[in-house]
Amino acid sequence: MIELHPETILKLEFGYAQETIEQAQEDRVKIMEFYLLLTGALGSVALGLMQLEAGRIPNIALLDTTLGASGRMPPQVYAAIFGLVGVIGFFVLMQLIRLRQAVNDSIVTMNLIKQTYVERFPDLDKAFHWKMDTIPPMAKPWSITFGLSLLVILLDSIALGVGVFFLGFQPAFWQYADEVLVSLLAFCWQGWMYFYLLRNKGDITSTAGRQ
């Protein structure tokens, strides 16, 4: 008969959970680097186009082109650039949330294994600082994930507001009302999504099975 050793599968499970956490941390860094580079690149493109237009002399020969006789890029182009930054930012936020869920799932797994050993060897309880009842909330304010998510939310909310600005809406009561409203709505909605998706449900297995 094959001898089964519980400590072997527990060791493998603990190691897998640890590797999952490390991979999630690496993925978080890569995602943020990608978004910041992309935001900087698109912002540079928009700024470069504005500088080119500032020095361009109107020309009747451009009448039938996209630029038109004024030699100006249609504002919809800038709106699309900043809108793209905003939309991509939302998907980056969703990825950060998913990575935080994966880390929490692995932390729960590791602590369940430690709890199993503590039940078998009570003296080990003093050796563990992190336990099931000391796991920090997933949406804990001022954590690294919180800070990075807040940065993404700020950037994409502002980008969406700037995109609306280039669409040229002119409310009667305040010139920048639409831009501020869109930015605030985007910020509040994404903030609510962050805390809602990372809420604690009071069940240690609430994150299990999410892939």
Side-chain angles (χ1 to χ4, degrees):
M1 292 183 61
I2 300 176
E3 290 190 33
L4 300 178
H5 301 281
E7 65 274 10
T8 301
I9 186 64
L10 290 176
K11 180 179 179 180
L12 293 173
E13 182 73 3
F14 196 92
Y16 175 75
Q18 185 178 17
E19 292 177 3
T20 300
I21 292 177
E22 293 174 355
Q23 185 62 51
Q25 307 291 14
E26 292 178 6
D27 291 344
R28 183 177 64 185
V29 172
K30 292 177 182 178
I31 289 173
M32 284 303 302
E33 288 179 347
F34 164 77
Y35 183 63
L36 293 177
L37 286 173
L38 181 64
T39 302
L42 291 176
S44 297
V45 169
L47 182 61
L49 290 174
M50 293 178 189
Q51 290 177 340
L52 286 175
E53 287 185 357
R56 184 180 290 123
I57 300 176
N59 191 337
I60 193 63
L62 299 174
L63 182 61
D64 295 329
T65 67
T66 304
L67 297 178
S70 65
R72 303 293 182 183
M73 187 72 69
Q76 290 82 359
V77 173
Y78 298 107
I81 292 175
F82 286 101
L84 182 62
V85 172
V87 172
I88 294 177
F90 171 74
F91 286 104
V92 169
L93 176 65
M94 293 298 103
Q95 287 296 314
L96 291 175
I97 291 174
R98 180 62 197 96
L99 289 173
R100 183 66 186 90
Q101 291 171 335
V103 168
N104 187 78
D105 195 14
S106 296
I107 292 175
V108 168
T109 299
M110 296 170 73
N111 279 275
L112 283 174
I113 294 173
K114 290 191 295 184
Q115 184 174 293
T116 301
Y117 275 93
V118 169
E119 292 174 356
R120 186 75 177 273
F121 308 100
D123 291 340
L124 289 176
D125 185 61
K126 300 178 182 179
F128 298 132
H129 175 67
W130 271 23
K131 304 173 185 177
M132 290 303 304
D133 57 350
T134 61
I135 297 176
M138 286 192 290
K140 179 182 178 181
W142 314 121
S143 64
I144 295 177
T145 298
F146 176 86
L148 294 177
S149 299
L150 180 60
L151 176 61
V152 171
I153 293 174
L154 281 172
L155 288 176
D156 66 27
S157 298
I158 293 173
L160 289 173
V162 175
V164 171
F165 169 79
F166 281 105
L167 292 178
F169 297 120
Q170 297 290 335
F173 55 94
W174 187 37
Q175 182 179 0
Y176 302 109
D178 287 340
E179 292 85 341
V180 173
L181 179 61
V182 168
S183 295
L184 286 177
L185 287 176
F187 182 87
C188 294
W189 179 63
Q190 290 178 98
W192 177 83
M193 287 288 293
Y194 177 84
F195 285 103
Y196 177 78
L197 293 176
L198 294 181
R199 70 194 186 283
N200 283 354
K201 299 180 180 179
D203 182 359
I204 61 175
T205 62
S206 62
T207 58
R210 295 178 183 166
Q211 301 296 332

